[in-house]
Every structure is written in C-alpha cells, then in structure tokens.
Amino acid sequence: MIATVLALAAAATPAHAANTLTMRGADVSSLQRTLDLGGKYYNASGGQADPYDILKSAGVNYARLRIWNNPASGYNNKAKVLQQAKAIKAKGLKLLIDFHYSDTWADPGKQFTPAAWSSHSISQLGTDVYNYTYDVCTALKAQGTTPDSVQVGNEINVGMLWPRGQVVNNNFAPLASLLKQGYNAVKACNSATQVWIHVADADSMANMRWFYDGIKSQGVPWDVTALSYYCMWHGTLANLYNVITDARTRYGKPVVIAETAYQFTTADADSEPNSIPGTVLCDNIPATWAGQAQQFTWVQNTARNAGAVGVFYWEPTWYAIKGNGWDPANINGTGDGWDNMAVFDWTGRVNPNIRWTP
C-alpha cells in the first residue's frame, strides 16, 4: 500500500518541484560529549573512524547543532558550539545552528525562558533575542565558521520564550516581534545565512497553515520552512507529502524536514526508558537496521517527491554511553532515551544500510 502511495506521490510531483535533496543533514548536538567521554565510532566494516567521516561517506553534507543559553551541563552552550563548529567546517560540512532560546530543551510542549531573561518584558526579550543571536553568529563568523543556516527557535508550534512569546487566542504579535529580531540579527551578522522557522507540524495541514499564516500576517520574514516528521507521532507519508507540497506552494519558500528518525531495535541499552519504544512501528517496518534504513529512505523519497530540498536525521550519533544523559541538569545521572533511534549501535558501529541520498 505504501509503495502505491509513494508512486502516486512521485507521479503527482509538479515539474518545478525540486528533484534533489541538496541538504542532507545530521543533528550531531550530543556528539562532542560522547567524544569527550572517550566514545568511539566504527564504520560499516568495523574499523574505527571519525564519526564525521562515517556520516559523510553515508551521504551527509550538513550538520546541525542546538544551542542552549546557559545549560547546567556546560554542553551545547556557546563555547561548545564554537568548538564543534570548527570540527564540522573542517570536514567540509555546512552548518545549521538551532537556537532554542532556553537553558534546556525547547519543543512543542515546553519553551522555558532562559533564567537570565525570566523577568524581562516582551520588548526586552526581543532585544535579548537579537543580542544573543548576533553574538553567537558573529563569534562563529570570527573564527571562520559562519553558519550557513540558523533556526530562530526550535519546534515553536505555539511560540517560544513562554509565557510572553506564546501564541494565545491566535495572537501572533508577541511571537512575531521575537522572530523579527532573530531574523534581523542573523542578517546583520551575515546576509547570506538562511533563516529557518521550525515547527513540528508535519502531521497537520491545518496546524501548519495556522502557524505560518499567523506569522506571515504579522510580516515575519523567513527563508526556509522547517518541519519535524517522526512517523510514530506525525502520521502517514502520504500526509507528509501533502503538507510539504502545500507549505512549499503556499509560502513560496524551500521546505526542509529538520528532524526525523526511526528505531533499529526494540531493546533498550540503559536504565533510561526509550523515548520511542521499539514496539511502536510505522508502515509495518520492523525495528531492525534494515528497517531503520528503509523508513529513512521512504521519508527522503517522500520529501524529494513533494519538492522539499532537505532532510535531517536527528541525533544519529547519540548511542548509549554513560555520562551523556538527556538532562543537562543531570547529564551524568540520566541516560540516553535515543539509544534505539541512533544510526550507531550500542558499541558505536554504524548501520551499514543507512544512506542520505540526493
């Protein structure tokens, strides 16, 4: 059935749609911590290799790094992002910086304002966003690692910097003021850097339109429309195709799947429960190395056929290594809920079937 859906999607692709994925990305935000802990990575032949080289050989040409303002762990902050950006650019990869504007995780269910900004008004928060974005971007530029793209916010389905930047009663004005400041800061740093606006709304045409129509009505500029797609949360590939096509044609901007992933096992490597249990499957695809690669290929095919220009796998290098927990406030005491979703197994060996394809 799904093959039929994909065939129909391919047949329905407009002549002007992109037929290559120029952005083949991997979010490697946890990688520096793994390396600092002595973690090792192995290629499909079992030989130890640099993880960036392994990813490049599988087709990756873009790396994504999240940045938190003042995380308790000391990782994913400005200093660590500057360090990792050097390694990424030295490998010839392009760089996407993902501003959460938080000291910890920001996603559709939570958008915690950084502690240092917690008492600030919406006007002050706008200044904060501008200054912080400009500072990080110019520091990256100064060391020769100018970001190719910047996300102003992470999965901001109903806003960011809650409560002041949250969309309440369809009022997008507060959020729009923050997004404009972020956009202006990026362009002041480097006019060629693309500004992405990212939501996890690949599941719903109505939700996607509500958000982007809302910011558009407030005059928010952006360069790339970015969506998260996890099949266990965000519906069918046929629906994904329709949402991408609509977003691309409705707003006239390139569309990227900024996050996706699939499990390779039903087991759990540590004491931290898996974020997505291995028993939660999509399209009857098994939780195996072959299954993981198949689902990722199908997501790429769907995105390509719908005219998207990129697909990013979220945290493919985050295999279970003690001390690299999910909670920045307790990074040593928590585990890795993504150990069954990475493309490296629990010994650090890559899935030999996984490919990022143009």
Side-chain angles (χ1 to χ4, degrees), residues 36-358:
D36 289 349
L37 290 167
K40 302 290 192 290
Y41 290 87
Y42 302 88
N43 59 30
S45 301
Q48 186 179 334
D50 184 291
Y52 295 113
D53 290 335
I54 298 172
L55 291 172
K56 283 183 68 177
S57 70
V60 169
N61 67 358
Y62 228 115
R64 180 190 196 227
L65 296 176
R66 66 176 166 267
I67 184 164
W68 290 330
N69 288 43
N70 188 26
S73 64
Y75 278 80
N76 303 118
N77 61 10
K78 177 184 172 182
K80 290 295 185 185
V81 164
L82 287 168
Q83 175 190 357
Q84 200 169 348
K86 286 183 178 179
I88 287 166
K89 287 285 192 172
K91 291 295 183 179
L93 298 167
K94 291 191 174 182
L95 177 64
L96 165 61
I97 300 297
D98 173 15
F99 283 90
H100 283 226
Y101 301 112
S102 182
D103 296 329
T104 187
W105 300 100
D107 56 44
K110 56 188 178 295
Q111 297 277 336
F112 301 118
T113 298
W117 303 354
S118 60
S119 65
H120 293 185
S121 67
I122 189 68
S123 176
Q124 288 173 306
L125 287 174
T127 301
D128 293 332
V129 166
Y130 184 97
N131 290 342
Y132 182 66
T133 306
Y134 184 79
D135 174 67
V136 171
C137 183
T138 53
L140 286 162
K141 183 179 179 180
Q143 69 171 17
T145 60
T146 303
D148 299 278
S149 298
V150 165
Q151 273 183 228
V152 178
N154 186 75
E155 294 187 331
I156 55 172
N157 296 28
V158 288
M160 65 188 194
L161 292 164
W162 293 357
R164 290 173 180 81
Q166 188 168 8
V167 180
V168 179
N169 295 327
N170 298 311
N171 179 13
F172 280 86
L175 173 62
S177 69
L178 300 175
L179 295 178
K180 289 174 184 177
Q181 291 280 28
Y183 179 93
N184 290 340
V186 173
K187 296 301 183 179
C189 169
N190 182 55
S191 61
T193 297
Q194 292 185 310
V195 175
W196 299 19
I197 304 293
H198 174 215
V199 297
D201 281 339
D203 62 321
S204 167
M205 187 94 71
N207 290 341
M208 182 276 293
R209 286 183 173 184
W210 174 81
F211 179 87
Y212 289 105
D213 282 0
I215 63 169
K216 182 180 178 182
S217 71
Q218 293 289 328
V220 173
W222 77 97
D223 301 318
V224 174
T225 302
L227 307 168
S228 293
Y229 176 74
Y230 297 99
C231 62
M232 58 290 299
W233 295 328
H234 298 139
T236 65
L237 292 168
N239 184 69
L240 174 65
Y241 174 87
N242 291 333
V243 173
I244 292 172
T245 302
D246 189 72
R248 179 173 55 78
T249 56
R250 189 174 182 86
Y251 306 109
K253 302 177 190 302
V255 175
V256 170
I257 301 301
E259 296 183 20
T260 193
Y262 197 69
Q263 55 268 51
F264 71 86
T265 181
T266 60
D268 187 0
D270 59 19
S271 59
E272 193 71 42
N274 290 336
S275 299
I276 299 172
T279 53
V280 180
L281 304 176
C282 303
D283 306 315
N284 295 315
I285 296 176
T288 61
W289 258 350
Q292 181 185 64
Q294 180 182 358
Q295 175 67 21
F296 185 49
T297 294
W298 283 8
V299 170
Q300 291 179 88
N301 289 347
T302 303
R304 185 186 303 106
N305 291 337
V309 298
V311 174
F312 282 63
Y313 197 104
W314 195 74
E315 287 281 16
T317 61
W318 196 8
Y319 76 90
I321 183 167
K322 188 172 177 59
N324 197 4
W326 70 271
D327 183 359
N330 187 17
I331 197 168
N332 287 301
T334 51
D336 176 1
W338 212 247
D339 53 58
N340 68 324
M341 302 288 288
V343 306
F344 292 83
D345 69 12
W346 305 341
T347 67
R349 184 170 177 175
V350 73
N351 180 344
N353 308 303
I354 203 85
R355 293 290 182 275
W356 284 253
T357 55

